[in-house]
Amino acid sequence: MKLPRSYGSRVYLAQLIAVAVGLIFLLVGWWRTGISLIAISFILAAVARAMISDDHVGMLGVRGRLFDILWMSVLGVSLGVLAIVVPNSWT
């Protein structure tokens, strides 16, 4: 398999894989692990979007830089808080 040329597209591909693995964890029943993995992938993608120059952003850039960073950060933090706050239902 040939990797994408831009660094942003590589990060985007890694994020898609991480989200897919997180969704598999959700299907298996490990919802907290799956949500946490998806949250971490969004936070790391936001950091990568902040660090990668506009010349190499590729598919990671959707709107403007600030919007992309804020939106992925909000999604990542929200999912992380969800994974922490929701109690286990062992009954």
Side-chain angles (χ1 to χ4, degrees):
M1 182 172 109
K2 189 174 179 183
L3 287 176
R5 291 184 193 186
S6 67
Y7 299 124
S9 294
R10 292 177 187 177
V11 172
Y12 181 74
L13 181 61
Q15 184 185 14
L16 282 178
I17 292 170
V19 169
V21 171
L23 290 174
I24 290 171
F25 283 149
L26 286 171
L27 288 174
V28 174
W30 300 341
W31 70 270
R32 195 176 306 270
T33 304
I35 293 291
S36 299
L37 181 63
I38 294 170
I40 290 169
S41 74
F42 273 108
I43 292 170
L44 291 177
V47 170
R49 177 67 171 108
M51 294 174 60
I52 296 174
S53 68
D54 287 334
D55 296 338
H56 295 284
V57 76
M59 293 184 295
L60 190 60
V62 177
R63 305 279 184 202
R65 177 185 291 265
L66 182 63
F67 178 83
D68 290 340
I69 294 168
L70 288 176
W71 183 240
M72 286 189 282
S73 297
V74 166
L75 286 175
V77 170
S78 299
L79 289 172
V81 168
L82 176 73
I84 293 170
V85 169
V86 174
N88 286 331
S89 57
W90 297 106
T91 58

